[in-house]
Amino acid sequence: MSHQVILDCDPGHDDAVAMLLALGSPSIDLLGVTTVAGNQTLAKVTRNALSVLALSGHAGAGVGVYPGCARPLVRELAVAEDIHGESGLDGVELPVPTAAPRDEHAVDFIVRTVMKRPPGTVTLVPTGPLTNIALAVRREPRLAGRVREVVLMGGGYQRGNTTAVAEFNIRTDPEAAHIVVNEDWPVTMVGLDLTHQALATPAVEREIAGIGSPVSDFVVGLLGFFRQAYQRQQGFADPPVHDPCTIAYLLDPGVLTTRRAPLDVELRGELTAGMTVADLRGPEPENCRSQVAVCLDRERFWSLVVSALRAL
Ligand code: RIB
Ligand code: CA
């Protein structure tokens, strides 16, 4: 099954791997990349997205990058320089972009693209703060009834990373996340519960390095920096490569298990703002438009990533 995807991202080491997974997988029709301030400023993440497209060569040619919001809806932007570095993609030499950002704002691109295609054909894959997605569905409420699904990297029903209970993408813009999870559209939350299983072990790095291409060398450079950052900042031996888990789920739904659960986002708590609250009590509800990702088939996941990198 092919998927028509808009990837809304903040590259970001793992966003870059998500882009390459999408670009190297024939069943993903990447309609466009929209960027949002998060891991770094809007200007930096937009340049980074353009660099990754340039690196991908033919696969990325013609894919537009549409800059979106430069700050969260309400709160101040706090970038993740401790994890992604000053450029947002530290650890590698960034390819010179071969295209400029498109003139159309991300929100307008998302609305125009979804509304011009048949209902149920476009999947939104946000892997950064949800600012653009929230504004798009407020700009055009009919989006909720036309989008096939929102598969987002963010949140977690057990723990956080930016605070004890809040994950970075959600904590950066809790108000946007609250809008997104409360709209009447299907939401799959690929949170830390899942993505902390997507560890780039030395064996994974060796397999990617064995491809021996400019793309795989770039990813190995990214993972090396990512590993050091996660060791230093969060005590991980191997870095969790969060964002490509969303694309992998589209490519092979069996790559992860899910559980339907009502979702919401805490806005008011002094200690809990940005916490994603999944109600996992009792039996799994039959009719629930949201689900959370639970268990990752690591081998299937990395096999998808390596195959895509080989193809580029
Ligand atoms: O908490 C991890 C998430 O925040 C990932 O999407 C990473 O790229 C950052 O955006
Ligand atoms: Ca991201």
Side-chain angles (χ1 to χ4, degrees):
M1 171 179 286
S2 72
H3 293 270
Q4 298 178 41
V5 170
I6 295 176
L7 179 61
D8 185 72
C9 56
D10 60 339
H13 292 66
D14 50 331
D15 303 77
V17 179
M19 285 182 67
L20 293 170
L21 176 56
L23 289 162
S25 303
S27 62
I28 299 289
D29 179 1
L30 189 56
L31 303 177
V33 173
T34 52
T35 55
V36 63
N39 283 326
Q40 261 297 353
T41 63
L42 179 65
K44 292 180 178 179
V45 300
T46 301
R47 187 217 187 278
N48 294 341
L50 289 164
S51 286
V52 173
L53 284 180
L55 175 78
S56 72
H58 175 71
V63 176
V65 174
Y66 302 81
C69 295
R71 57 154 298 168
L73 296 182
V74 175
R75 300 170 196 243
E76 294 298 325
L77 175 66
V79 298
E81 193 152 325
D82 57 333
I83 295 289
H84 297 276
E86 188 276 333
S87 72
L89 275 184
D90 279 17
V92 290
E93 186 176 335
L94 290 173
V96 176
T98 51
R102 298 294 173 88
D103 291 335
E104 188 176 20
H105 190 280
V107 171
D108 295 331
F109 170 75
I110 292 167
V111 171
R112 177 173 63 84
T113 303
V114 174
M115 296 310 290
K116 81 179 181 185
R117 291 170 184 265
T121 54
V122 178
T123 298
L124 302 182
V125 179
T127 62
L130 291 163
T131 319
N132 292 339
I133 308 300
L135 282 183
V137 74
R138 283 289 186 269
R139 168 72 183 77
E140 177 47 84
R142 291 178 296 171
L143 238 56
R146 286 182 81 93
V147 161
R148 178 193 178 111
E149 184 178 13
V150 177
V151 181
L152 67 91
M153 192 281 137
Y157 55 83
Q158 298 173 96
R159 51 160 293 173
N161 55 8
T162 299
T163 71
V165 295
E167 177 277 329
F168 176 82
N169 289 335
I170 309 299
R171 183 65 186 83
T172 298
D173 198 341
E175 287 73 19
H178 188 276
I179 289 170
V180 171
V181 302
N182 282 287
E183 276 297 332
D184 189 15
W185 51 13
V187 173
T188 296
M189 182 179 90
V190 182
L192 298 177
D193 325 282
L194 189 283
T195 65
H196 280 177
Q197 301 169 53
L199 300 175
T201 63
V204 165
E205 266 192 52
R206 283 194 298 273
E207 186 175 5
I208 293 173
I211 298 170
S213 71
V215 170
S216 61
D217 291 347
F218 181 82
V219 171
V220 168
L222 288 180
L223 294 178
F225 181 88
F226 212 36
R227 171 189 302 281
Q228 290 176 8
Y230 261 91
Q231 284 173 348
R232 189 175 58 247
Q233 299 296 335
Q234 297 197 17
F236 279 71
D238 301 322
V241 189
H242 309 275
D243 295 336
C245 295
T246 56
I247 300 294
Y249 172 63
L250 295 180
L251 291 169
D252 176 3
V255 79
L256 51 81
T257 61
T258 59
R259 194 223 192 259
R260 289 186 301 278
L263 267 181
D264 209 336
V265 176
E266 173 60 58
L267 297 178
R268 287 186 290 274
E270 189 173 337
L271 300 176
T272 56
M275 179 178 183
T276 50
V277 181
D279 190 347
L280 300 170
R281 294 170 300 170
E284 189 173 358
E286 284 299 315
N287 298 315
C288 183
R289 54 174 170 73
S290 52
Q291 60 180 3
V292 297
V294 177
C295 188
L296 179 71
D297 183 327
R298 294 167 174 80
E299 196 170 323
R300 275 167 83 167
F301 169 69
W302 287 115
S303 167
L304 290 168
V305 172
V306 170
S307 297
L309 297 179
R310 282 190 200 285
L312 289 173

